[in-house]
Amino acid sequence: MATTKREGTFVLSVTTTPSAYEKTANLVKDCPNIETGLGLHPELVHQRFGELSLFDKWIHSTDFVGEVGLDGSSRYRSSWENQIQVFTHALKLSDTHGGRILSIHSRQAATEVMNCLEPFRYNNTFILHWFSGTAKELSRAVEIGCWFSVGPLMLKGKKGKSLVSQIPQDRILLETDGPFTSINKQSLYPWDVNRMCVPELSELWGIDPNNVSSILNENKQMLLSKRRSLKVKHAK
C-alpha cells in the first residue's frame, strides 16, 4: 500500500463480499489514489447472499461497485437465480443513486450479463474484467459502451490476445486481478502491469510502446473524469 501511494498509481481495489467493504475502505482511507469498490462476487453468492442488504447500507460511500456480475460455469450454476438477483440489485441501486463505475465478472455468462446491463447503460460506466466471451458478445459489449480491464495473463493466451485486438484502444484499462493471479509464483502488483502489458500491446497494436503508454494513460484519465462527473452529480 505504501508503494502504491508513493508511486501515485491509481488503483481500484474491488471487494468480493459486502461485509469486507468497510474495513477494506478504511484501510486505504489515507491513500487518495486507491479506491474501494463495493462488491459481491458471483462465485460467493451461494455463501453470502444474506449480505445483499449491505449494498443499500454502503452504496452512498463509494463511486465504484465491484466485483459483481454473473458466472455461468458449472461449478456455480446452482446459485444462478440468486446471482441474477444480486447483480440486478447492484445495477438498479447504482442507477437509482445517480450512476456508478462497475467492475463486472462475466465468465461463461457474457450474453446474460449484457442483457442485465442494457437497461442501466446511461447512468453507469461498465468495466468488463478479463472478458472471455465470443467475438459477437464482445461487439455487443462495445456497442453498449463497456470498457475492458486487461491483465498480463489475458495477454499471454491466444484467445485473450485475439479478443484484446478487437477491443477499441480507447476502451482498455489495465488490471492485475491480484491476489488471485500470479506469474512464476509471484503475485502481481499495480506497478507491474505497465511493465508487463505495454510490450504485449505494442506488438498487438503495431505501435511504439510510448504511444501505448500514452493511450493507456488517456484512458485512465477519461475514467477518472467520469468519476469526477459522478461526484458532481451526487453532490447536487
Side-chain angles (χ1 to χ4, degrees):
M1 186 171 69
T3 304
T4 304
K5 186 176 182 179
R6 184 175 65 251
E7 294 272 338
T9 305
F10 175 78
V11 173
L12 172 59
S13 170
V14 298
T15 52
T16 55
T17 63
S19 59
Y21 171 76
E22 182 180 16
K23 287 184 177 180
T24 305
N26 284 337
L27 187 66
V28 297
K29 64 182 180 181
D30 296 325
C31 298
N33 54 310
I34 303 178
E35 293 287 347
T36 304
L38 172 64
L40 178 46
H41 199 290
E43 291 181 3
L44 298 179
V45 164
H46 67 291
Q47 296 174 334
R48 302 299 185 97
F49 183 74
E51 295 183 16
L52 186 57
S53 62
L54 292 178
F55 264 93
D56 302 73
K57 178 179 180 179
W58 295 115
I59 191 67
H60 301 280
S61 64
T62 181
D63 299 314
F64 296 92
V65 170
E67 186 171 343
V68 293
L70 301 174
D71 193 302
S73 58
S74 58
R75 184 176 178 183
Y76 302 105
R77 266 287 171 178
S78 62
S79 65
W80 182 254
E81 294 304 320
N82 283 346
Q83 287 187 46
I84 294 282
Q85 188 174 341
V86 168
F87 188 35
T88 303
H89 185 75
L91 289 167
K92 286 181 177 177
L93 205 60
S94 297
D95 199 63
T96 299
H97 288 85
R100 294 293 186 271
I101 297 170
L102 298 97
S103 176
I104 298 168
H105 178 103
S106 59
R107 184 198 293 137
Q108 295 184 35
T111 292
E112 293 87 347
V113 164
M114 301 308 149
N115 292 341
C116 291
L117 297 183
E118 283 273 14
F120 306 105
R121 61 188 289 190
Y122 300 105
N123 275 341
N124 300 291
T125 299
F126 306 130
I127 305 170
L128 296 178
H129 146 70
W130 200 332
F131 183 80
S132 58
T134 65
K136 183 177 180 180
E137 289 169 330
L138 173 61
S139 178
R140 184 181 176 194
V142 170
E143 183 181 340
I144 288 173
C146 293
W147 293 57
F148 302 81
S149 55
V150 172
L153 290 181
M154 184 175 179
L155 287 167
K156 285 190 175 297
K158 183 177 179 180
K159 180 179 180 180
K161 284 185 177 180
S162 175
L163 287 170
V164 172
S165 71
Q166 299 172 65
I167 298 172
Q169 293 177 6
D170 62 358
R171 299 276 188 90
I172 288 182
L173 303 163
L174 298 185
E175 67 170 26
T176 64
D177 199 29
F180 303 105
T181 58
S182 62
I183 292 181
N184 297 325
K185 298 183 179 180
Q186 296 294 316
S187 297
L188 298 177
Y189 293 95
W191 48 90
D192 291 325
V193 291
N194 276 296
R195 175 176 57 83
M196 293 182 172
C197 293
V198 166
E200 294 282 359
L201 290 171
S202 174
E203 182 178 348
L204 200 60
W205 292 345
I207 62 175
D208 185 85
N210 289 331
N211 291 340
V212 173
S213 296
S214 295
I215 290 169
L216 294 173
N217 186 59
E218 288 173 10
N219 294 351
K220 179 182 67 176
Q221 294 305 322
M222 178 60 70
L223 186 74
L224 293 177
S225 74
K226 289 177 177 291
R227 187 273 183 101
R228 288 191 291 271
S229 297
L230 286 178
K231 281 193 170 297
V232 171
K233 186 189 298 186
H234 299 162
K236 291 181 178 179

